Amino acid sequence: MSIGVPNRSSRVRQLIRGPRPEAVPALVGRACALVGLLDVAAGVFPRFRHSRMHTLAEVLPGALGPFAAALSLSAGVLLLLLAHGLKRSKRRAWRAAVALLPAGAVAQFTYRHSLVGALISVALLVPLLRHRDQFAALPDPRSRWRALANFVLMGAGSLGLGLVIVSAHPGRLVGDPSLADRISHVLYGLFGFEGPVDYQGNTSWTVAFSLGALGLLTAITTVYLAFRPEHPAARLTEEDEVRLRALLDKHGRRDSLGHFALRRDKAVVFSPSGKAAVTYRVVSGVMLASGDPIGDVEAWPGAIERFMDEAKAHSWTPAVMGCSETGGEVWTRETGLDALELGDEAVVDVADFSLAGRAMRNVRQMVKRIERAGYETRVRRVRDIGEGELERIRLAAEDWRGTDTERGFSMALGRIGDPTDGDCLVATAHKADAEPGPYGDLKAILHFVPWGPDGASLDLMRRDRSADPGMNELLIVASLQAAPKFDVARVSLNFAMFRSALARGEKIGAGPVLRAWRGLLVFLSRWFQIESLYKFNAKFQPRWEPRFVVYRASGDLPRIGFAAMQAEGFVNLALPLPRFLRRRTSAARACAHVVAEHTMADRDVRAA
């Protein structure tokens, strides 16, 4: 399902064109990559010479050859690294390219003796200078972790390119060195030392200077990334959080995902009137908003305009994940973006929920079986739970997470038991006669965030792996049954991605295309909870509310999808703590907490 765009004003068209990369930066970025490849080829392959200037240029001093080869190779690699920044109109990439292109031209002429290669570099420099006003985008959020990533990637690339350089002179090799000797020669050369491979004539100097240039380039870029000023990703300030909570108090019941805007790893832009806001996070150059804008619907256009202006200033790709149908209509109307149905949110009306009937037989039997096994449930507000028990719940939720990183972005709060989240609901399952563990008799946890004054939205589900199956069903039923006590009339459960495709594809009469699409989704469910989450939600007979992704162009969808997977925690490009160490750390923290509780209790007894 897609949402159309009725009208587009001139201001809207300007907003659409703003964040989209202009034709000139895109073409210049591609040309920069081409020139970079030309420079690398000129520095690596000695036979890469076809110029009529070659005979005349041979009178140049021969000692200039090795230096020029290293210069050509370094300039080419750096231009390849800058090409992506130029496509995104980054100002710093433009400055670096303007400095490197003349160096590449000089290296082309002095080493390859190619007038054509030098003219190509100069020809690229002309549009860079002429259209310099189009390269004004601000830097992206960054941290010093990029220095480590640069060292690993540049080191691997330098090793691979170094092997090509060492092997690109077969006619000049002395003897027949093995692969191990070539790798050793590359590693020595990257650090500026002479390796075991020998060449005839000046080739040894050319290879040595080229390898040394690669090693120096890796070191310089890593040091630069490590010591340059950080531009960390924006976070919610205390003032921003106060303003957002005020908007949620007035308009929070409109969107079940509204409370998730209070994640502290999101940034926020407010409308000029301050009556609406859009929260977002920047991931891999994509400016990801989640859910609907917060606040008064009439003020949404102002917040959306600020969002688009911010995307334009940094040349970020704008996108919205999981907005409602109303939100999608406003986004497409105000910006000219397109919307595509992403899936459905399961919403249960508490007044209509009952375990009676044939449709609920499986859930009813599972709940009864677990209750007979000795499990009991408790549903409470966070503010009504003692600090000691709340800390055990936090530690258990972290230990039972099942993944190395916390997943969730658009439909997850990312914390439990914060003093400012006293209205959140926590449902816990306990088994008193079970063998006590580091978390006592606690066996499963559900956490709900407020959805206005009369709703709740499911945040996370965690359970002990040693507990009986069906803990989540037990706690959802307990939460729905206890909801009237907390004046909760509606509960939002999990989001089911591509739910309509799965539902229609299994019906009689479904066409071959729909069946094939459903088969692909079932196959992907082996790694992502697509079908299983849909079937789990369907057990509780909910009503389905569609959710949409808003995007600028079809070509941006793969990039948006990858950025969303990073934000949700399905793709982690950082280096996480090993799983066994993380488990030991969590268990140690839990044991330390239990020991501290016993120590405090012993002190209280002695004092009494």
Side-chain angles (χ1 to χ4, degrees):
M1 177 179 179
S2 60
I3 300 177
V5 183
N7 294 310
R8 299 181 181 179
S9 63
S10 59
R11 171 60 179 162
V12 166
R13 291 175 182 171
Q14 181 182 358
L15 282 174
I16 299 171
R17 290 195 299 266
R20 183 188 295 275
E22 298 289 346
V24 171
L27 290 175
V28 168
R30 296 188 185 97
C32 181
L34 180 61
V35 173
L37 288 174
L38 181 66
D39 287 342
V40 170
V44 172
F45 301 105
R47 298 183 181 276
F48 195 72
R49 304 176 181 179
H50 303 286
S51 172
R52 295 180 180 179
M53 293 288 295
H54 175 62
T55 304
L56 179 61
E58 282 183 339
V59 300
L60 292 173
L64 189 61
F67 291 100
L71 178 60
S72 179
L73 185 64
S74 302
V77 172
L78 288 175
L79 286 174
L80 287 174
L81 296 176
L82 293 172
H84 180 65
L86 289 174
K87 288 181 181 180
R88 297 181 56 206
S89 306
K90 293 298 183 180
R91 186 66 177 178
R92 292 186 176 180
W94 177 87
R95 292 172 180 169
V98 168
L100 283 172
L101 282 172
V106 171
Q108 284 282 339
F109 185 80
T110 56
Y111 179 59
R112 278 191 59 226
H113 316 308
S114 172
L115 181 61
V116 175
L119 289 177
I120 289 176
S121 297
V122 174
L124 178 58
L125 185 63
V126 172
L128 274 175
L129 296 175
R130 181 179 179 182
H131 300 281
R132 58 184 177 273
D133 57 326
Q134 295 191 24
F135 297 89
L138 300 175
D140 288 348
R142 62 184 183 229
S143 69
R144 291 189 172 89
W145 279 105
R146 293 194 63 180
L148 179 60
N150 177 83
F151 178 77
V152 173
L153 295 177
M154 284 289 292
S158 297
L159 179 61
L161 190 56
L163 284 174
V164 175
I165 293 173
V166 170
S167 305
H169 308 267
R172 299 278 184 170
L173 280 171
V174 176
D176 185 18
S178 63
L179 179 61
D181 291 335
R182 297 174 191 237
I183 294 176
S184 300
H185 191 83
V186 173
L187 293 176
Y188 278 112
L190 291 177
F191 287 95
F193 299 103
E194 186 177 354
V197 180
D198 292 326
Y199 298 88
Q200 300 174 1
N202 292 331
T203 304
S204 295
W205 290 99
T206 303
V207 172
F209 279 118
S210 299
L211 293 177
L214 286 176
L216 184 63
L217 189 62
T218 301
I220 290 176
T221 54
T222 301
V223 170
Y224 167 74
L225 292 174
F227 290 98
R228 68 177 178 173
E230 281 191 280
H231 286 265
R235 297 287 187 269
L236 281 184
T237 64
E238 293 183 4
E239 180 184 357
D240 291 337
E241 187 170 342
V242 170
R243 295 177 66 183
L244 284 174
R245 289 185 183 276
L247 293 177
L248 288 172
D249 289 341
K250 294 181 180 179
H251 309 281
R253 66 177 303 165
R254 183 176 297 279
D255 185 14
S256 63
L257 307 185
H259 198 86
F260 299 129
L262 298 176
R263 283 183 65 107
R264 287 164 187 158
D265 57 358
K266 291 183 178 181
V268 61
V269 289
F270 289 91
S271 64
S273 64
K275 295 182 179 179
V278 175
T279 59
Y280 67 91
R281 187 197 297 175
V282 179
V283 182
S284 298
V286 178
M287 191 176 182
L288 278 176
S290 58
D292 292 344
I294 307 299
D296 189 355
V297 176
E298 294 183 359
W300 284 7
I304 291 174
E305 182 178 341
R306 289 281 181 88
F307 176 88
M308 299 297 286
D309 288 341
E310 190 76 6
K312 176 182 178 181
H314 293 82
S315 190
W316 291 330
T317 300
V320 185
M321 299 296 298
C323 64
S324 68
E325 189 167 1
T326 301
E329 289 175 351
V330 176
W331 273 101
T332 54
R333 184 182 69 242
E334 295 297 326
T335 64
L337 303 179
D338 293 323
L340 186 68
E341 185 173 344
L342 186 62
D344 295 89
E345 175 189 12
V347 178
V348 178
D349 295 314
V350 174
D352 299 332
F353 177 76
S354 174
L355 286 177
R358 182 178 181 83
M360 299 296 294
R361 182 179 60 181
N362 291 337
V363 176
R364 181 173 62 251
Q365 291 176 349
M366 180 173 291
V367 170
K368 293 297 184 183
R369 177 179 58 82
I370 297 174
E371 288 177 343
R372 288 194 298 269
Y375 288 91
E376 63 175 18
T377 60
R378 303 170 192 169
V379 182
R380 294 160 290 176
R381 297 278 188 190
V382 166
R383 59 173 173 264
D384 298 328
I385 304 176
E387 183 58 34
E389 184 179 0
L390 198 57
E391 181 64 18
R392 279 198 301 272
I393 292 174
R394 292 192 196 102
L395 294 174
E398 179 182 353
D399 192 30
W400 299 340
R401 186 165 55 208
T403 58
D404 292 329
T405 56
E406 187 74 50
R407 287 184 176 177
F409 163 68
S410 56
M411 302 177 185
L413 187 60
R415 60 181 184 266
I416 298 179
D418 192 275
T420 59
D421 299 323
D423 289 336
C424 292
L425 286 172
V426 175
T428 54
H430 306 263
K431 190 174 183 181
D433 58 348
E435 182 178 352
Y439 312 111
D441 60 353
L442 184 63
K443 296 299 178 183
I445 304 165
L446 259 62
H447 186 253
F448 297 85
V449 300
W451 175 11
D454 61 346
S457 185
L458 181 60
D459 175 25
L460 61 80
M461 300 186 296
R462 302 280 164 79
R463 69 179 184 87
D464 189 349
R465 299 300 176 185
S466 63
D468 294 340
M471 291 290 102
N472 293 330
E473 288 88 342
L474 172 69
L475 288 181
I476 287 179
V477 170
S479 301
L480 292 172
Q481 292 175 341
K485 182 175 65 174
F486 301 100
D487 297 325
V488 172
R490 50 189 180 158
V491 176
S492 170
L493 300 180
N494 297 293
F495 172 75
M497 185 175 292
F498 305 120
R499 195 246 0 143
S500 58
L502 290 170
R504 291 196 300 266
E506 63 184 359
K507 290 184 178 179
I508 298 177
V513 176
L514 191 56
R515 288 184 179 275
W517 174 229
R518 181 183 180 277
L520 176 61
L521 294 176
V522 172
F523 175 75
L524 293 176
S525 296
R526 298 180 180 181
W527 298 276
F528 307 100
Q529 296 179 346
I530 300 177
E531 185 185 29
S532 60
L533 204 54
Y534 156 59
K535 290 185 175 180
F536 177 83
N537 291 334
K539 292 179 182 180
F540 303 97
Q541 303 299 308
R543 55 182 170 88
W544 300 99
E545 298 288 342
R547 291 280 173 175
F548 298 84
V549 55
V550 177
Y551 60 98
R552 184 177 56 190
S554 300
D556 293 335
L557 284 176
R559 186 179 178 189
I560 293 171
F562 184 73
M565 292 178 69
Q566 286 181 263
E568 297 288 350
F570 291 102
V571 176
N572 184 20
L573 301 183
L575 299 175
L577 192 67
R579 180 67 179 169
F580 72 95
L581 291 179
R582 192 186 64 79
R583 282 186 174 275
R584 289 182 181 179
T585 303
S586 300
R589 288 173 56 195
C591 293
H593 178 72
V594 172
V595 171
E597 279 193 336
H598 284 295
T599 302
M600 294 177 63
D602 185 53
R603 290 177 181 175
D604 293 340
V605 170
R606 290 180 180 178

